[in-house]
Amino acid sequence: MDKQFLSISFILGAIAVALGAFGAHALRELVDEKAIQTWQTAVQYHFYHLFAIALVGLLLKQGVNAWYKRAGYLFIAGILVFSGSLYTMVLLKATGATSVNWLGAITPIGGVCFIAGWLFLFLSIKKK
């Protein structure tokens, strides 16, 4: 299980770098500054939480703890929902779509996943 979380973290890291570079270069020609800031927020939270997933992998090396695994899954879900909804919203705007703001309503669900993941890590320490 520890190798799975570490592998996922490393792949998500490569994806974050690629998406960050895309946003810094190609995307600037397609969308306005507000959309670029939204993209940067998505990359930033994506990046922060890939380190959290790696931490979960390292913690699992010390021994399996259900709270660690739950936290790891929540961090993955957070990246997919929080960052994913923001990436999708900006990419749709880049294609000329006009009514994409409804995706912003999904984003906080990913934020809740991030918060819950950190709280689950806290609980993992309390449960030892």
Side-chain angles (χ1 to χ4, degrees):
M1 183 59 64
D2 56 333
K3 289 181 182 179
Q4 287 176 321
F5 280 107
L6 289 169
S7 296
I8 290 168
S9 174
F10 301 153
I11 294 298
L12 287 172
I15 292 168
V17 172
L19 291 172
F22 176 75
H25 301 289
L27 199 56
R28 288 204 179 274
E29 299 173 14
L30 302 173
V31 294
D32 62 14
E33 188 58 35
K34 184 177 178 190
I36 293 297
Q37 289 173 353
T38 299
W39 187 271
Q40 289 172 338
T41 298
V43 171
Q44 184 178 23
Y45 277 81
H46 180 156
F47 231 105
Y48 292 157
H49 289 89
L50 69 90
F51 291 115
I53 297 165
L55 172 64
V56 167
L58 294 174
L59 289 169
L60 284 168
K61 280 187 165 293
Q62 296 176 355
V64 176
N65 177 321
W67 292 99
Y68 295 157
K69 289 195 290 188
R70 291 175 188 139
Y73 290 128
L74 283 164
F75 293 138
I76 293 166
I79 290 172
L80 293 174
V81 176
F82 181 90
S83 296
S85 65
L86 295 178
Y87 293 140
T88 302
M89 188 166 49
V90 173
L91 289 173
L92 286 173
K93 283 183 182 180
T95 66
T98 54
S99 59
V100 297
N101 290 337
W102 63 270
L103 280 166
I106 297 170
T107 307
I109 297 168
V112 170
C113 289
F114 288 146
I115 293 166
W118 289 109
L119 291 173
F120 278 25
L121 285 181
F122 171 75
L123 290 172
S124 73
I125 292 169
K126 292 292 189 184
K127 297 291 180 185
K128 282 191 170 185

